[in-house]
Amino acid sequence: MPIVVLISGSGSNLQAIIDAMQAGELPVEIRAVISNRTDAYGLERARAAGIHTEVVDHREYAGREAFDRALQKTIDAHEPALVVLAGFMRILTHEFVEHYMGRMLNIHPALLPLFPGLNTHERALQEAVKQHGATVHFVTTEVDGGPLVLSARVPVRPGDTAEGLAARVLEQEHRIYPQAIRWFAEGRLQMQYDRVLLDEKPLPTTGIDFAELTTDQTR
Ligand code: NHR
Ligand code: GAR
């Protein structure tokens, strides 16, 4: 399945996708990696894997609408069946999201619906939650509010820093994102209205907990 990956930074989730592809565990072809930042390290990861890269720099556009139109044009030239947000840091307009509805996934570094938006690890520490994690969801116009697919939990430990917690969460991101993308690529995962179907069956609104995956679901 042809996909396009959008990044803004380090690209460790991109790397996890590339690694899963190279291990023969993910039936996708990354047609392009697109960054809104010229200095994103993920661009180098893509180049090292021989993947086409492009930059659409948001600072070169008069506003979000103009940026999103340029981004959409760049993406659509590659005719992806799925758009993957992997640490992409720009909020997307309604028009853009409508265009890719049901075929755009995001990974968010929190247990949604807790802590949508930015600085999730700092906020989790501030609120002294016992568990934190990451969630894969379909992208809708409501930021970090789309239907939930798959999440993984990590414990929050006494004395944790935001950096330490972020690293623990990131390890889990690298497990769950390739799994969710694989389901989509195999035609097993669909968004229908505000629900997610896996193998034609609706998921609970919380999505699936990675720790509770059945052998059927991971096959
Ligand atoms: N766009 C829509 N419409 N819906 C979603 O669910 C989206 C989205 C765009 C990005 C990722 C999201 C995350 O996982 C995502 C989901 C950036 C911001 C943000 O406030 C919020 C959420 C997410 C990504 N960005 C600032 C902005 O003004 C810029 C911050 C920066 O450049 O560092 O766009 O967390
Ligand atoms: C990841 O933790 C991802 O969940 C988060 O940024 C990090 C990107 O890491 N995404 C967001 O915060 C989106 N607003 P990566 O570039 O190494 O994949």
Side-chain angles (χ1 to χ4, degrees):
M1 173 177 284
I3 73 171
V4 163
V5 181
L6 303 188
I7 64 167
S8 298
S10 154
S12 71
N13 277 291
L14 167 67
Q15 190 67 58
I17 295 163
I18 293 170
D19 292 348
M21 282 168 52
Q22 291 178 347
E25 292 163 2
L26 190 51
V28 300
E29 176 201 349
I30 304 179
R31 290 268 176 92
V33 169
I34 304 173
S35 174
N36 66 303
R37 298 180 61 106
T38 47
D39 61 352
Y41 180 65
L43 290 169
E44 289 179 38
R45 297 183 191 266
R47 286 182 206 116
I51 298 165
H52 176 79
T53 63
E54 295 191 52
V55 172
V56 182
D57 185 341
H58 61 281
R59 296 169 307 180
E60 290 174 9
Y61 297 87
R64 290 186 190 267
E65 287 73 16
F67 169 66
D68 280 11
R69 277 194 297 271
L71 186 59
Q72 185 176 317
K73 203 173 159 193
T74 306
I75 294 168
D76 285 351
H78 300 287
E79 301 186 344
L82 176 69
V83 175
V84 172
L85 306 188
F88 183 71
M89 297 306 291
R90 301 298 300 176
I91 290 178
L92 298 160
T93 58
H94 286 216
E95 291 70 20
F96 183 96
V97 171
E98 293 290 348
H99 181 69
Y100 298 107
M101 193 63 77
R103 51 190 183 107
M104 180 157 54
L105 291 171
N106 178 45
I107 188 156
H108 181 73
L111 292 173
L112 289 171
L114 295 178
F115 310 120
L118 303 176
N119 307 315
T120 58
H121 310 303
E122 287 83 352
R123 287 152 65 206
L125 289 175
Q126 205 146 19
E127 298 208 7
V129 293
K130 292 198 176 86
Q131 289 196 319
H132 187 46
T135 310
V136 177
H137 65 93
F138 279 100
V139 175
T140 64
T141 54
E142 188 190 341
V143 176
D144 296 326
L148 308 183
V149 177
L150 182 60
S151 63
R153 300 163 191 278
V154 303
V156 179
R157 299 218 171 86
D160 263 347
T161 59
E163 293 70 30
L165 192 53
R168 194 176 307 138
V169 170
L170 207 47
E171 273 182 39
Q172 298 304 313
E173 295 186 36
H174 300 160
R175 305 173 72 191
I176 65 177
Y177 216 2
Q179 173 65 255
I181 294 166
R182 177 178 175 175
W183 284 333
F184 192 90
E186 291 174 342
R188 299 173 62 188
L189 186 71
Q190 280 173 270
M191 185 178 107
Q192 200 175 69
Y193 305 102
D194 55 355
R195 306 213 69 154
V196 176
L197 305 183
L198 180 64
D199 297 331
E200 323 284 330
K201 291 184 286 288
L203 295 186
T205 54
T206 53
I208 299 181
D209 183 335
F210 190 79
E212 289 168 10
L213 282 178
T214 64
T215 47
D216 257 13
Q217 289 168 331
T218 53
R219 82 174 179 258

